Amino acid sequence: MAIGYACIHLGSSKTQLSTLHVKNFTQEKFLLVLDHNLNALEEIFHYNMIHHIQMLRISSDIVPLSTHPINTVPWLDMYKDRLTRIGQLIQEQGMRVSMHPGQYTVLNSIHADVVQKAKKDLLYHAKFLDALGCDCTNKLVLHIGGVYGDKKESMHRFAENFATLDPSIKQRLIIENDDKSYTVEDVLSLSKQVHIPVVFDTLHHTLNPPQNNQLSLFEWIKICQETWKPQDGKQKIHYSQTGTNFKNGAHSSFIQAEQFFQFYQQLIDKDIDIMLEVKDKNLSAIKCNLLIMENPPIKYLEEEWAKYKYFVLGNSAKTYQEIRTLLKDKENPDVLTFYTLLEHAFDTPSSKMSQINTLQHLWGYFKKRATPQEKKRFLSLITGYEEDKKTLASLKNYMYKLSYKYSVSYLLDSLYFYIE
DNA sequence: TGACGTCAAGATCCG
DNA sequence: CGGATCTTGACGTCA
């Protein structure tokens, strides 16, 4: 089983994507942004490699304004070698990637121009995966689209338009149930017509179940598995948990370990790949990966702890001590308890006192080498924070700058600067 | 016509 | 100037 996450990445400044708007478009700027984004993509793959994450959804925005008429840059040719090299990295590591055109790519639209744009967009995605040299187990995920008052007819239109697509799209396309219109039952019925796999989305299914639903989530997953043929690779599903506002179907900020672990245990066939849709992206991917790993080495948890510890200390000194105690048992790492405690720290409202205590901890890295001005600035920021004149964010920002200046890699790798 | 979702860039304002 | 807080973009469907 591989766990993956979608598009963006937390915890490093090197992995942020850039973008470009139409009014600023020039070939020069476009190439700068694309170059930057490919570097970021490589960084993300490198990160995934060392964190044993085997799956990634590549953002559609990797190439800005990829199908906009203004963009006539032959980037695919210009970056052929570069893309091939990145692709080799993916294959060497046995990673699986995917892409997911958004809600504005509508293949079954009643408007011919919208369908044309959708085709163009799908072709861009397929060509990008082709350029990486990724085979057809690396999928393109799409929703069925609009209903236009007649679901059956709209599904038929999807099938007709599907038939006209380029083979590199056809062989990659998979269809997903959505949260409003098309249930998993609808998607399965369309799959029978077009013979492409169904990717089951757990949250969409909960929000938009089939009528007279008699089956469990796990039975539906099993039924969807039958749409996956050997050339498609392992079955993929999307897993997410709902945020605090259940109605709008927003994704939760992080995956709750206990809930995910129960879900995993109930899966009928565990030989599937799971794409997480969650706000904290790679962080939850590492978590879920460790939760399902048999006999994970204590080292993996210790590496996690190194990244989270200052955040935890800032929120709850009690939880900080509890996790330290837990990690003293080197023989039997208790991953589930570790993450449950961590989640508790996220739910604990932090006090100014514990935040200042943590900042003093961090200052320990600098106090011997900082200039008098830096010391003065630090102390005045602390005073400002105490008096509600400065935010914690601005203090964290300053500590990050110092970490960068003095190359304190232990701090630069800390999630303290990225989560709140 | 606005909400929906997404995230970064750009604009603007504050101290 | 740094930092906080909007607004905009790029897209299609649906209420």
Side-chain angles (χ1 to χ4, degrees):
Chain A
M1 173 185 285
I3 304 277
Y5 61 98
C7 304
I8 60 162
H9 181 98
L10 300 174
S12 164
S13 53
K14 288 187 247 170
T15 55
Q16 306 301 114
L17 296 188
S18 294
T19 190
L20 187 57
H21 294 167
V22 174
K23 64 177 176 184
N24 298 324
F25 189 92
T26 62
Q27 167 153 345
E28 218 175 5
K29 282 184 188 167
F30 169 78
L31 291 174
L32 277 176
V33 173
L34 180 56
D35 208 71
H36 169 94
N37 286 353
L38 292 179
N39 285 335
L41 185 63
E42 272 188 294
E43 285 289 336
I44 292 174
F45 281 126
H46 181 71
Y47 173 97
N48 288 358
M49 190 178 80
I50 58 180
H51 290 92
H52 325 284
I53 298 174
Q54 291 291 98
M55 196 161 66
L56 177 76
R57 178 188 302 165
I58 298 173
S59 169
S60 298
D61 296 330
I62 190 88
V63 182
L65 300 167
S66 55
T67 58
H68 196 282
I70 200 172
N71 186 356
T72 54
V73 183
W75 57 270
L76 212 48
D77 291 330
M78 294 169 75
Y79 278 83
K80 196 166 183 281
D81 294 343
R82 181 82 194 283
L83 291 164
T84 307
R85 277 207 310 279
I86 297 175
Q88 278 164 354
L89 186 79
I90 299 172
Q91 272 111 56
E92 279 163 22
Q93 302 300 325
M95 290 179 181
R96 190 182 198 189
V97 298
S98 62
M99 294 181 90
H100 189 353
Q103 59 184 308
Y104 299 110
T105 304
V106 184
L107 187 60
N108 77 340
S109 176
I110 48 173
H111 306 286
D113 58 325
V114 174
V115 175
Q116 278 314 311
K117 278 187 209 162
K119 285 184 176 182
K120 197 177 169 190
D121 190 48
L122 287 169
L123 195 60
Y124 146 67
H125 285 89
K127 292 284 176 209
F128 190 85
L129 293 173
D130 282 344
L132 292 175
C134 291
D135 68 20
C136 293
T137 62
N138 300 281
K139 294 302 189 185
L140 266 179
V141 185
L142 195 65
H143 292 286
I144 297 178
V147 175
Y148 312 95
D150 187 340
K151 204 181 249 188
K152 210 173 170 186
E153 183 55 33
S154 295
M155 282 160 69
H156 180 64
R157 215 167 33 249
F158 184 102
E160 277 185 343
N161 292 336
F162 176 82
T164 67
L165 293 173
D166 188 279
S168 68
I169 304 170
K170 276 185 177 170
Q171 289 163 14
R172 286 206 175 88
L173 208 63
I174 58 180
I175 39 181
E176 179 190 352
N177 55 317
D178 65 71
D179 59 343
K180 287 193 186 73
S181 310
Y182 292 95
T183 68
V184 62
E185 206 168 48
D186 298 326
V187 182
L188 278 162
S189 129
L190 180 60
S191 166
K192 283 207 174 68
Q193 295 175 52
V194 290
H195 311 291
I196 57 176
V198 175
V199 56
F200 180 86
D201 185 297
T202 59
L203 184 59
H204 292 164
H205 179 74
T206 310
L207 295 167
N208 181 26
Q211 276 195 330
N212 308 316
N213 183 19
Q214 303 287 320
L215 300 174
S216 75
L217 201 83
F218 303 96
E219 289 166 318
W220 281 114
I221 292 173
K222 192 68 190 158
I223 291 170
C224 290
Q225 190 171 48
E226 288 161 24
T227 63
W228 290 77
K229 297 183 271 306
Q231 64 268 29
D232 296 314
K234 269 182 205 175
Q235 178 187 13
K236 271 179 79 165
I237 62 167
H238 292 174
Y239 177 86
S240 52
Q241 296 170 353
T242 180
T244 42
N245 187 356
F246 179 80
K247 255 193 296 181
N248 67 11
H251 295 141
S252 61
S253 52
F254 56 81
I255 298 288
Q256 290 197 346
E258 178 78 46
Q259 206 180 322
F260 174 80
F261 192 63
Q262 278 180 20
F263 170 82
Y264 172 75
Q265 285 181 316
Q266 288 178 74
L267 280 173
I268 297 168
D269 185 344
K270 294 185 171 47
D271 195 26
I272 64 176
D273 288 347
I274 301 180
M275 176 61 69
L276 302 178
E277 294 182 325
V278 58
K279 287 183 184 150
D280 75 351
K281 308 288 180 181
N282 48 309
L283 307 185
S284 277
I286 293 177
K287 176 196 280 193
C288 293
N289 224 0
L290 282 177
L291 281 166
I292 63 169
M293 205 178 283
E294 277 181 48
N295 307 315
I298 183 79
K299 187 175 139 241
Y300 289 2
L301 274 191
E302 286 167 346
E303 284 166 2
E304 281 285 88
W305 180 232
K307 287 187 287 176
Y308 281 104
K309 65 195 291 185
Y310 292 119
F311 166 76
V312 174
L313 187 61
N315 271 27
S316 165
K318 184 167 168 278
T319 307
Y320 181 86
Q321 285 307 331
E322 283 169 346
I323 297 181
R324 283 190 57 173
T325 307
L326 181 80
L327 291 178
K328 280 180 186 154
D329 182 358
K330 309 282 182 204
E331 298 305 314
N332 302 299
D334 185 347
V335 179
L336 187 55
T337 307
F338 173 80
Y339 282 111
T340 307
L341 284 169
L342 202 56
E343 286 162 13
H344 184 253
F346 274 89
D347 292 335
T348 309
S350 76
S351 71
K352 217 177 250 185
M353 222 177 75
S354 60
Q355 291 294 359
I356 289 173
N357 177 39
T358 305
L359 288 159
Q360 299 286 5
H361 257 77
L362 294 187
W363 180 249
Y365 284 90
F366 308 112
K367 68 176 174 200
K368 281 186 185 154
R369 42 189 156 171
T371 66
Q373 287 88 343
E374 284 164 348
K375 185 175 183 185
K376 203 177 147 200
R377 173 96 173 123
F378 174 72
L379 292 174
S380 98
L381 277 169
I382 289 281
T383 313
Y385 178 56
E386 278 171 334
E387 294 168 358
D388 271 334
K389 286 176 188 156
K390 291 286 169 191
T391 60
L392 182 59
S394 60
L395 265 150
K396 285 190 177 188
N397 209 337
Y398 187 63
M399 300 314 274
Y400 183 82
K401 277 184 189 164
L402 288 178
S403 308
Y404 191 79
K405 179 183 172 187
Y406 293 108
S407 303
V408 184
S409 60
Y410 191 80
L411 291 186
L412 289 170
D413 288 341
S414 173
L415 291 169
Y416 176 74
F417 300 114
Y418 296 93
I419 54 184
E420 54 189 46

